[in-house]
Amino acid sequence: KNNQKKLDYVYGFLLENKKIISNDRGNHSNNHGAIFVSGVYHLNKLHINGSLRYVNDQNYGNELLPQLNFSYQYNNITLRSGAGKAIRSADFTERYNNYNKPIVKGGSIGNPDLEAEKSWSYEIGADLKLNDFKFSTTAFYRNQTALIDFVNTPYNEIPRNQNLIPTGSYNYAKNIKTVNTRGIELEA
């Protein structure tokens, strides 16, 4: 007889205010809030785990972030798969680096107009347990958009350049690429 509950879940909310007081980046704050629900459904050897998070961030606005995972246990083999969406906002360094210095001759310059990075990730895999040994393999794919990085940028292409010098060398924070990552991971 299976005494395990069929459905377990949790829900809640999050409120946070991030602040920075910096002689280099200046003084800034960012409000972030989220409501979420997450649950796991057990059906004999099949486990379905899902979550849904709705976020509001002062930097990037509103986003809905779903995730869904499955696992199936058959003797000493576990089959599993999952998919989900994630988001990463630019941090204070990526947004405001060197904004509060009177003169900057070179280095990294922040960009307050950066979009948040977004990604969808997918994976499928299997685990095999033999006594004290575990063997795993996982195939994965991730599509990431609006990747943030610092790029060598001429003075005249940096919108806020009043504390920069025209002959300086600057790495300016930009949304540069869409990145697709594929792979297979083997573990013993």
Side-chain angles (χ1 to χ4, degrees):
K1 182 177 177 181
N2 184 354
N3 292 327
Q4 194 175 31
K5 291 191 327 186
K6 292 238 185 234
L7 177 65
D8 292 308
Y9 62 93
V10 63
Y11 57 89
F13 67 94
L14 166 77
L15 298 173
E16 65 183 359
N17 176 264
K18 296 178 186 178
K19 290 184 179 184
I20 187 171
I21 299 171
S22 170
N23 60 354
D24 168 292
R25 291 161 186 83
N27 302 337
H28 305 279
S29 67
N30 190 79
N31 293 315
H32 179 91
I35 57 174
F36 62 88
V37 62
S38 180
V40 61
Y41 183 74
H42 308 279
L43 183 61
N44 298 321
K45 297 177 181 186
L46 176 66
H47 306 280
I48 304 167
N49 187 349
S51 66
L52 191 60
R53 182 180 181 100
Y54 177 78
V55 296
N56 176 272
D57 188 278
Q58 186 177 358
N59 187 28
Y60 59 80
N62 300 312
E63 287 290 333
L64 190 61
L65 305 174
Q67 293 188 352
L68 188 59
N69 301 288
F70 298 91
S71 70
Y72 182 77
Q73 185 73 41
Y74 180 75
N75 295 328
N76 57 345
I77 298 173
T78 303
L79 304 174
R80 53 190 162 67
S81 66
K85 181 181 179 184
I87 191 165
R88 187 188 80 82
S89 176
D91 62 26
F92 289 124
T93 297
E94 292 164 329
R95 291 167 59 200
Y96 302 110
N97 196 48
N98 281 318
Y99 263 48
N100 211 35
K101 287 185 175 178
I103 297 293
V104 180
K105 297 178 183 178
S108 300
I109 305 299
N111 177 357
D113 297 324
L114 290 168
E115 294 177 37
E117 295 178 347
K118 296 178 185 176
S119 67
W120 278 95
S121 297
Y122 310 90
E123 71 174 48
I124 187 167
D127 304 319
L128 171 64
K129 288 185 181 179
L130 299 172
N131 298 322
D132 291 335
F133 295 99
K134 180 181 172 185
F135 303 95
S136 299
T137 184
T138 305
F140 58 89
Y141 172 74
R142 179 177 177 168
N143 174 262
Q144 186 175 3
T145 59
L147 182 70
I148 298 169
D149 201 357
F150 287 92
V151 178
N152 191 2
T153 305
Y155 165 87
N156 61 346
E157 292 180 20
I158 299 174
R160 185 194 174 280
N161 59 14
Q162 60 261 32
N163 65 338
L164 309 180
I165 59 172
T167 58
S169 178
Y170 302 103
N171 290 316
Y172 184 57
K174 293 182 179 183
N175 294 104
I176 60 166
K177 290 191 178 231
T178 295
V179 176
N180 293 305
T181 307
R182 299 173 186 87
I184 295 176
E185 180 180 86
L186 302 171
E187 183 179 334

